[in-house]
């Protein structure tokens, strides 16, 4: 795997970690998902930040897909990701740096299949 590929995957997994640690209701409110919605935009001044909201919503969709990829990892790879990105202290076999790199490769492969722009 190329260094640039690792950097891009690392950025998505870092976004996943931020999402994982945050309050999900607050994030949904930030990206424009009100608790009750009519399901359409009225236009005018209320939609001046519509593009930003669409980008944030798409980013959240990609983070949720990365979450699915992380959860599909086996035990030692999941532990390596949680140790590095969530400051967990789980034991796993193997060299931590090698296992982490393998984990990122697996996440990248799965995320590309799901449509995450990596």
């Amino acid at each position: 795997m190329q260094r640039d590929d690792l950097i891009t995957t690392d950025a998505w997994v870092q976004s996943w970690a931020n999402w994982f640690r945050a309050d999900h209701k607050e994030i949904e409110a930030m990206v424009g998902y009100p608790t009750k919605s009519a399901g359409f935009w009225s236009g005018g001044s209320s939609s001046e930040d519509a593009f930003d909201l669409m980008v944030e919503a798409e980013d959240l969709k990609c983070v949720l897909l990365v979450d699915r990829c992380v959860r599909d990892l086996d035990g030692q790879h999941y532990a390596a990701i949680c140790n590095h990105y969530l400051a967990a202290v789980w034991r796993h076999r193997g060299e931590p740096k090698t296992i982490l790199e393998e984990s990122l490769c697996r996440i990248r492969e799965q995320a590309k299949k799901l449509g995450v722009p990596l």
Side-chain angles (χ1 to χ4, degrees):
M1 180 179 280
Q2 299 289 332
R3 179 173 163 70
D4 291 340
D5 294 342
L6 280 176
I7 291 171
T8 306
T9 307
D10 175 69
W12 277 113
V13 177
Q14 186 63 46
S15 295
W16 165 81
N18 293 339
W19 170 82
F20 195 81
R21 288 187 294 246
D23 179 19
H24 299 287
K25 293 279 187 199
E26 180 180 336
I27 291 174
E28 289 173 358
M30 284 183 348
V31 296
Y33 293 128
T35 54
K36 294 182 180 178
S37 175
F40 61 88
W41 287 93
S42 62
S45 64
S46 66
S47 64
E48 67 185 25
D49 60 347
F51 179 76
D52 293 336
L53 292 175
M54 288 187 320
V55 170
E56 289 174 3
E58 189 63 28
D59 285 348
L60 180 60
K61 178 182 167 190
C62 291
V63 166
L64 293 172
L65 291 174
V66 170
D67 179 56
R68 183 172 156 191
C69 297
V70 170
R71 290 179 186 276
D72 287 344
L73 292 173
D74 62 22
Q76 76 176 9
H77 292 97
Y78 184 78
I81 291 291
C82 290
N83 286 349
H84 185 76
Y85 292 97
L86 300 176
V89 188
W90 296 349
R91 290 185 175 173
H92 58 83
R93 296 180 187 164
E95 177 66 32
K97 185 176 179 180
T98 305
I99 300 298
L100 180 63
E101 190 171 322
E102 287 175 11
S103 302
L104 290 173
C105 290
R106 289 180 181 197
I107 290 171
R108 181 177 179 78
E109 290 171 12
Q110 185 68 18
K112 284 179 91 173
K113 291 177 186 175
L114 295 174
V116 177
L118 297 174

